[in-house]
Amino acid sequence: MAQLQESGGGSVQAGGSLRLSCQAPRDIYNYDCMGWFRQAPGKEREGVMSISTRGKAIYPGANSMNGRVTISKDNAKNTVELNMTNLKPEDSAMYHCAAGTCSVIVGGPWKFLKAWGQGTPVAVSS
Protein backbone atom coordinates (compact mmCIF):
# COMPACT_ATOMS: atom_id res chain seq x y z
CA MET A 1 0.00 0.00 0.00
CA ALA A 2 2.36 2.71 -1.23
CA GLN A 3 0.54 6.02 -1.01
CA LEU A 4 3.26 8.42 -0.02
CA GLN A 5 5.88 9.86 -2.35
CA GLU A 6 9.43 10.48 -1.20
CA SER A 7 12.11 12.61 -2.81
CA GLY A 8 15.47 14.13 -1.96
CA GLY A 9 17.69 11.08 -1.59
CA GLY A 10 21.09 10.88 -3.18
CA SER A 11 24.78 10.31 -2.70
CA VAL A 12 26.85 12.37 -0.29
CA GLN A 13 30.18 12.14 1.43
CA ALA A 14 30.45 11.47 5.13
CA GLY A 15 29.73 14.62 7.07
CA GLY A 16 27.32 15.88 4.45
CA SER A 17 23.62 16.67 4.72
CA LEU A 18 20.44 15.71 2.95
CA ARG A 19 16.83 16.83 3.13
CA LEU A 20 14.20 14.25 2.34
CA SER A 21 10.67 15.24 1.50
CA CYS A 22 7.44 13.26 1.63
CA GLN A 23 4.30 14.23 -0.22
CA ALA A 24 1.04 12.84 1.12
CA PRO A 25 -1.92 12.47 -1.24
CA ARG A 26 -4.36 13.94 1.22
CA ASP A 27 -4.63 16.09 4.30
CA ILE A 28 -1.96 14.87 6.67
CA TYR A 29 -4.28 15.65 9.55
CA ASN A 30 -6.00 12.41 8.62
CA TYR A 31 -2.94 10.57 9.90
CA ASP A 32 -2.17 10.36 13.62
CA CYS A 33 1.49 10.68 12.82
CA MET A 34 3.92 10.77 9.91
CA GLY A 35 7.57 9.97 9.81
CA TRP A 36 10.40 7.97 8.36
CA PHE A 37 11.96 4.56 8.66
CA ARG A 38 14.93 3.14 6.80
CA GLN A 39 16.19 -0.20 5.67
CA ALA A 40 19.61 -1.13 4.39
CA PRO A 41 20.25 -4.31 2.38
CA GLY A 42 20.53 -7.29 4.68
CA LYS A 43 19.52 -5.28 7.73
CA GLU A 44 16.34 -4.92 9.72
CA ARG A 45 14.00 -2.02 9.26
CA GLU A 46 14.82 0.85 11.59
CA GLY A 47 12.66 3.75 12.64
CA VAL A 48 14.21 7.18 12.20
CA MET A 49 11.76 9.75 13.48
CA SER A 50 8.10 10.71 13.42
CA ILE A 51 6.03 13.80 14.03
CA SER A 52 2.54 14.00 15.48
CA THR A 53 -0.35 16.10 14.22
CA ARG A 54 0.51 18.56 16.98
CA GLY A 55 4.10 18.80 15.82
CA LYS A 56 5.72 16.72 18.53
CA ALA A 57 8.79 14.82 17.36
CA ILE A 58 9.10 11.19 18.40
CA TYR A 59 12.40 9.34 18.38
CA PRO A 60 12.96 5.60 18.40
CA GLY A 61 14.19 4.04 21.61
CA ALA A 62 17.61 3.33 20.15
CA ASN A 63 18.24 6.38 18.04
CA SER A 64 21.42 5.99 16.04
CA MET A 65 20.81 9.37 14.41
CA ASN A 66 20.41 11.22 17.72
CA GLY A 67 21.25 14.88 17.31
CA ARG A 68 21.75 14.55 13.56
CA VAL A 69 18.16 14.50 12.35
CA THR A 70 15.17 16.80 12.59
CA ILE A 71 11.67 16.50 11.23
CA SER A 72 9.15 19.10 10.18
CA LYS A 73 5.82 19.25 8.43
CA ASP A 74 3.87 21.66 6.31
CA ASN A 75 0.18 21.09 6.81
CA ALA A 76 -0.78 23.40 3.96
CA LYS A 77 1.34 21.44 1.47
CA ASN A 78 0.74 18.00 3.02
CA THR A 79 4.47 17.41 3.23
CA VAL A 80 6.86 16.11 5.84
CA GLU A 81 10.60 16.74 5.67
CA LEU A 82 13.50 14.95 7.26
CA ASN A 83 16.70 16.92 7.60
CA MET A 84 19.82 14.85 8.17
CA THR A 85 23.24 16.27 8.98
CA ASN A 86 26.71 14.87 9.62
CA LEU A 87 25.77 11.75 7.70
CA LYS A 88 27.80 8.59 8.21
CA PRO A 89 28.32 5.61 5.90
CA GLU A 90 26.16 3.51 8.23
CA ASP A 91 23.25 5.85 7.44
CA SER A 92 23.17 4.48 3.89
CA ALA A 93 19.77 2.89 3.31
CA MET A 94 16.44 3.22 1.57
CA TYR A 95 14.45 5.82 3.46
CA HIS A 96 10.70 5.42 3.49
CA CYS A 97 8.03 7.90 4.49
CA ALA A 98 5.26 6.39 6.58
CA ALA A 99 1.96 7.25 8.21
CA GLY A 100 0.24 5.70 11.19
CA THR A 101 0.71 5.90 14.93
CA CYS A 102 3.91 7.57 16.08
CA SER A 103 5.24 4.60 18.02
CA VAL A 104 4.69 2.21 15.14
CA ILE A 105 6.54 4.42 12.67
CA VAL A 106 9.67 4.52 14.83
CA GLY A 107 9.53 1.03 16.30
CA GLY A 108 6.95 -1.22 14.72
CA PRO A 109 5.20 -3.58 14.52
CA TRP A 110 5.48 -2.51 10.89
CA LYS A 111 2.37 -4.39 9.82
CA PHE A 112 0.34 -1.71 11.58
CA LEU A 113 1.56 1.13 9.36
CA LYS A 114 -1.35 2.90 7.61
CA ALA A 115 0.63 3.92 4.54
CA TRP A 116 4.17 4.17 3.26
CA GLY A 117 6.13 5.08 0.16
CA GLN A 118 8.50 3.16 -2.08
CA GLY A 119 11.45 4.97 -0.61
CA THR A 120 14.29 7.22 -1.66
CA PRO A 121 17.89 5.96 -1.53
CA VAL A 122 20.60 7.55 0.58
CA ALA A 123 24.22 6.58 -0.01
CA VAL A 124 26.96 7.99 2.19
CA SER A 125 30.55 7.43 1.17
CA SER A 126 33.53 7.62 3.51
Side-chain angles (χ1 to χ4, degrees):
M1 187 196 310
Q3 299 177 353
L4 308 176
Q5 183 65 53
E6 305 93 341
S7 62
S11 298
V12 297
Q13 291 188 332
S17 301
L18 279 175
R19 177 179 294 177
L20 308 182
S21 183
C22 172
Q23 179 70 56
R26 59 176 182 166
D27 191 341
I28 58 177
Y29 274 115
N30 288 299
Y31 301 114
D32 293 335
C33 199
M34 293 188 69
W36 297 82
F37 65 87
R38 67 185 185 182
Q39 189 162 21
K43 294 187 178 181
E44 294 187 356
R45 189 175 295 185
E46 178 184 18
V48 177
M49 200 167 186
S50 61
I51 185 167
S52 71
T53 53
R54 295 183 178 181
K56 179 181 178 182
I58 293 90
Y59 299 84
N63 188 4
S64 62
M65 299 193 77
N66 188 27
R68 301 188 291 120
V69 61
T70 58
I71 193 169
S72 61
K73 62 187 181 78
D74 187 327
N75 295 330
K77 296 181 179 179
N78 293 333
T79 58
V80 176
E81 289 192 342
L82 187 73
N83 291 287
M84 304 183 292
T85 61
N86 191 23
L87 285 164
K88 304 176 181 180
E90 52 263 41
D91 294 321
S92 298
M94 186 70 78
Y95 283 70
H96 298 264
C97 181
T101 57
C102 296
S103 60
V104 169
I105 292 172
V106 298
W110 312 110
K111 65 181 180 180
F112 294 122
L113 288 174
K114 299 298 183 183
W116 61 90
Q118 293 186 342
T120 185
V122 171
V124 184
S125 59
S126 57

